[in-house]
Amino acid sequence: MKRFTAILMLCLSALILPQAVSASNQERCFRETGYCISGPILRYWERNGGLSTFGFPISNQGMQMAEDRMLQAQWFERDRLEIQADGRVTAGRLGARYLELQDRPWQTFPTVDQADPGCAYFAITRHQVCEPFLTYWRTRGGLERFGYPITERIREEIEGKVYEVQYFERRRMEFHPELAGTPYEVLLGRLGVEVMRIDGCVSLEPMYEPTAYAYRRLLGCPIASSRELVSPTGPVQLRMRPVPLAVQRFERGVMLWTRRWGDVPVPSEIFVLTSSSTDPQRFTWQMFADEWTEGTPIRFSETPPPGRYVPERGFGYVWVHNAEVRSRLGWAIEPEQGETGGHRQFQRGFMITRPSNDTVFIILDGGEALVVPRKN
């Protein structure tokens, strides 16, 4: 009933003037969400269906990571509109991105070799489009607005009710039998709302945003203080916070020492990262408080093999006093190395950067970690 009411409101909204206040003919503001549209995005929004096609704006326009590029973009209930380098406004590939975020990449869906009668076949993705989606696709913008089909027509639960839907590169079409025979029997899914929950995060500084974006499904959005979210000069971009950092590699893992800073500083911590047997970038982690104090000797009677080391200071304290850690890691294969790194807390973990070798430590809630090269 709730979804039907929302659909009915959408239909009525398409027939009447949206509840908007125009500050000028170059801007349109919506009381429903508190956001405004202006410039090229407003012109595109009005020219291509307005409220019934895109829904209300749900963010400000600003620089965002889109398709591995930093672009001016704005989120809507059903879309993300992007201003390309040449000034063109295009729709985001939210259909493909939504499936990817659900661990259902479109390349894994069943395909067909030819079209059924009355349908259109797209050899490039090996999918067909049939009625009523085909007429909607052809009359509402075709390839430019929706992209190629990336699934067949499938049944999917949306807000507690099962609908027949089909995914395209940029959109999801939904068939609503309760509106059959009306112009609104095919509606566009609210993918803008769904994808923005992850991809609509405040961006990191350009050097690290590609890495954060690549692992956003795991990390969630970066966490910012209220001070950081205020920028008098333009869109907010969060910087990595500088932190002291020490790293030492072992035969089967890594030890990482840091003193993280959020709104409140965290005491010094030592993370023990144990290597995965199948993926050199994947680890499990365990955290220890740094209990070593300056001047405390680390005594260990065994002599390391040639080219191996007994760790010292805080690393040595944890390694010597925890036989399980020692068994998991083995001997150190290099001396401890210190530098200034960067830290940023996320919804489901945190990220530590190691500038000396362009490495990023991604520490996830639940005990998993990744050690990856910074993405350009």
Side-chain angles (χ1 to χ4, degrees), residues 104-121:
R104 298 191 299 160
W106 67 267
Q107 297 90 341
T108 64
F109 280 77
T111 58
V112 296
D113 294 326
Q114 60 183 14
D116 294 335
C119 303
Y121 186 67

Side-chain angles (χ1 to χ4, degrees), residues 299-312:
R299 294 185 175 89
F300 190 68
S301 59
E302 294 184 36
T303 301
R308 299 295 187 260
Y309 302 85
V310 173
E312 301 178 346

Side-chain angles (χ1 to χ4, degrees), residues 78-227:
R78 292 174 169 78
D79 215 330
R80 180 184 65 215
L81 298 182
E82 306 160 359
I83 303 177
Q84 302 296 325
D86 61 5
R88 291 181 303 114
V89 176
T90 60
R93 294 183 73 251
L94 299 194
R97 181 61 176 160
Y98 180 73
L99 293 176
E100 179 185 345
L101 292 172
Q102 292 191 319
D103 283 330
R104 298 191 299 160
W106 67 267
Q107 297 90 341
T108 64
F109 280 77
T111 58
V112 296
D113 294 326
Q114 60 183 14
D116 294 335
C119 303
Y121 186 67
F122 297 83
I124 192 168
T125 58
R126 297 182 62 201
H127 290 291
Q128 62 179 335
V129 182
C130 304
E131 297 297 349
F133 297 147
L134 181 57
T135 294
Y136 193 99
W137 188 89
R138 284 173 169 167
T139 59
R140 303 298 179 93
L143 195 62
E144 179 182 354
R145 286 292 305 122
F146 303 104
Y148 291 104
I150 55 176
T151 71
E152 292 297 292
R153 184 166 170 162
I154 59 177
R155 294 178 65 80
E156 193 161 278
E157 182 175 327
I158 301 170
E159 296 183 11
K161 188 172 181 180
V162 176
Y163 294 92
E164 290 190 330
V165 307
Q166 185 163 17
Y167 283 88
F168 296 78
E169 289 178 281
R170 303 181 189 282
R171 292 297 191 96
R172 179 183 69 210
M173 292 185 189
E174 305 169 358
F175 174 65
H176 288 260
E178 70 273 22
L179 299 173
T182 76
Y184 306 104
E185 65 180 7
V186 175
L187 295 176
L188 299 173
R190 298 177 76 243
L191 294 189
V193 172
E194 295 298 326
V195 177
M196 183 187 169
R197 290 175 183 173
I198 294 179
D199 279 0
C201 303
V202 179
S203 297
L204 291 188
E205 56 190 301
M207 179 182 296
Y208 293 111
E209 174 58 18
T211 305
Y213 182 80
Y215 296 98
R216 194 147 283 162
R217 183 179 61 82
L218 299 173
L219 281 166
C221 294
I223 296 173
S225 68
S226 57
R227 294 190 304 275

